Structure formats: structure tokens, C-alpha cells
Amino acid sequence: MAYAGVDLLLTGDRQWKVIEINDHPVALAQSRRLCSSDAALECFRQDPFQLLAEQLERHDGGGAVALLLPECFELARGHRSPSQIRLREALKFDDNRVDLTISDFNELSRAIIARGREARICDAAHLRIQHRELYLDGEIVRSLFRRHSGFPRQRVDCFCLNDLRQRALCGDKLATHREIVARLGDVASIPTFPFEPSERTLGFLDDCACRGILVIVKPKWGSASVGVTRMDAGLALQHLATHQHERKDLICQPWIAPAVARVHERNFHFDVRLYVVAGRVVSGFARRAAAPSTGAASESPLAWLTTTGPRMTLCSSVDALTDSSSSPHAILSTDEIAAMTHLAADATLALSDAGVEMNYESAVETIPAFHSLADMQPEYQMLQIVEA
């Protein structure tokens, strides 16, 4: 897997665990801005878009690099694969993932052009496969940056960043967990079970109930914490007993309290998003909850869900002492930074190896249709894109 976003949890006893690995990560441009701080980690000092562009350039055969948008984006009529894009109309709903996606595509396109190559942003309607060759508006493409969950559904003689098999693996949180555990051991991942009345799941929930451990229930396929709930394990057992035939696409995990960052004399739970390019951690930030971990809102998702608040710069305990900025940081020790980056790189490699071993056609058949995913909103009929 040439490019991944790895989400990691630092437990209260300062051990790292993989939350999930995303083959369609967003917010790289935002991460680069956060990493411009003097206190940011040394390993984040290179431009991640240049590193991505370098990977794509290696395979482009001297032709254009195609940057394929997600399914909910389409080029407005008359616009043919521009190098910079914007929304045709302002959004009528609040979802910063749209702006983050457009920003990432534009920044990657600039990085490719800066290397003397041509970059063309497109939707799937502008691509065609014939005899395993990929064509963009009639021209052969040898290098494809893909954010589309269903293309190409057949093998093509083109470098894809990433291979569509990674979507089948990374999108399925249960499959991700199994591969991480099989290749890196139990300690690397949060225990994960299908939310169903099976013997293993019921045993897990019963043990959590006896020990007073809360559990997380969330979609097996999903993103941006949509559909994530925290509940008492006893309530989860009761739910399985009375709603056995409802949804079959949920998983459950123990809720492990994340480490806290000190911001304005208050503690906030946080976790970490790291970006990995060609096996190297190149950028990242901390994600913190919107509300403090103690106080009136401590039981609210605003306090325990780390995706509800702002992003923070990751820095070492040494650099934090000399940093003069007033921006909040998540401060890590030298050993924690080393363990964090090693786990992110190892987990990405583990899933990359697992994806290569999968049969292409069988794997892509398991990917749900984009508009059937749990986080899909009615407003996402199709977002019209025009040249910027």
C-alpha cells in the first residue's frame, strides 16, 4: 500500500494500538500546515505531497497522472479533467471532508506539475478500460491516484495508488483487525468482534459486563465516526437478545480510554492520525475531543469521541519545552514517538502484504456500493466540480 492514513490510540498506560487504517485518507494538506510548526516532529519536515508525486511519477511513463475523485464528485458538463478544481456551488450542509478532499487533490496536482509532469483531476465517467489499458479522455494513463471505491473493478496495466484490493481490506474494520493481529500480534490492535449473538461475541460482552467495561458499537464499513455509539456491555447483550435480525454490518470493541492532552489547564482525550507514504511516516497530527475528559460533559460523545474537536500538532517533550507558540500540542516522549511511527509503518506493510495476497476480482466484489455506506447523507446525490 503506497499511501495510508493510520489512526492510533495511545492508552492510559502509554501503549499504542491501531484503531484503523484508511486507504482513502483525507486532510493531508491540513496535516502539512500543522507540521509547519517549529515544534512539529522532525520526521514530518518533508512535503508529503512531493513524496506522493514522486511515487506517481515513477510509473507515469511520461504521460499524465490521473487523479480520480470519489464517487460523490462529478465534473460538470463541459469540464474535461482540469488540474485544479472547486465546487460549482457552495454546500448546503456541513461536512468539512468535502473541502479537505478538494484541497488534497489540488495540492497533489500542484506537486505533480512542479515535478514537470501533467496532472489531470477526473471522475470515473472520463475513464475507460480497453484490453487492460486505462484511458483518460482517449489518452493512455499509466499512473492513477484513486479515491473511488469501485474503480477499477478489473485489473489494468496501470499503477494505482492504491490498489483497489486495499479498499476491500481497509474499509472492512473486522478484516483489518484480523490481519493486524495475524501479522503483528494481539497487542497491536483493539479487540474487535462482529456485533452478533455468536459464542465469541457474547463471551466478550459478558466479560466486559462483569468487569464494568463500556463497549463501542460501530459500522464495520464507515468513516468520520458516523454511527459510533458507546454503551454499557449489559445493554449491548440485551440489544443482541432482542434485535438479532436488524443490522449485520456492525462490530463491537471495548472502550479503551485514550491518553489525555493538557489544554488550558484541562485534560482532553486524544488519538493520532499518521500518514504513511511508501512505508515511511511523513506527516500526522493529534485529534482531540471537543469537551474535557472530566466535568459535566464527560459522558457525552464530545468528551470521549476524539474526532469531535480540533486537530493539534504532535511534538516531542523536548521540543515542547522550547516552543514559543500558543497553539495546543499533544506531547509525546522520544520512546512513544519511535513506537508510534514503527507501529504505523508495520501495520501499513502488514495490510499491504495481505492485500497483494487477495484475489483481485473476489476482493473487489466485497466492497459495498458507495451510496449504501452508513455515513452517506441524502445530500450526497452528486457534488458538481468545475475547473478552479
Side-chain angles (χ1 to χ4, degrees), residues 5-17:
V6 183
D7 296 340
L8 298 175
L9 170 77
L10 182 62
T11 65
D13 59 357
R14 315 303 283 188
Q15 299 296 312
W16 291 105
K17 292 187 178 293

Side-chain angles (χ1 to χ4, degrees), residues 103-140:
S103 180
D104 283 356
F105 268 76
N106 284 338
E107 289 297 323
L108 179 55
S109 178
R110 290 189 190 103
I112 293 168
I113 293 169
R115 300 179 69 87
R117 294 298 203 266
E118 182 183 2
R120 298 173 63 185
I121 301 173
C122 64
D123 58 24
H126 286 73
L127 292 168
R128 177 174 58 88
I129 299 173
Q130 184 176 357
H131 305 303
R132 291 189 52 147
E133 299 280 16
L134 181 63
Y135 293 85
L136 172 58
D137 295 330
E139 299 178 13
I140 289 181

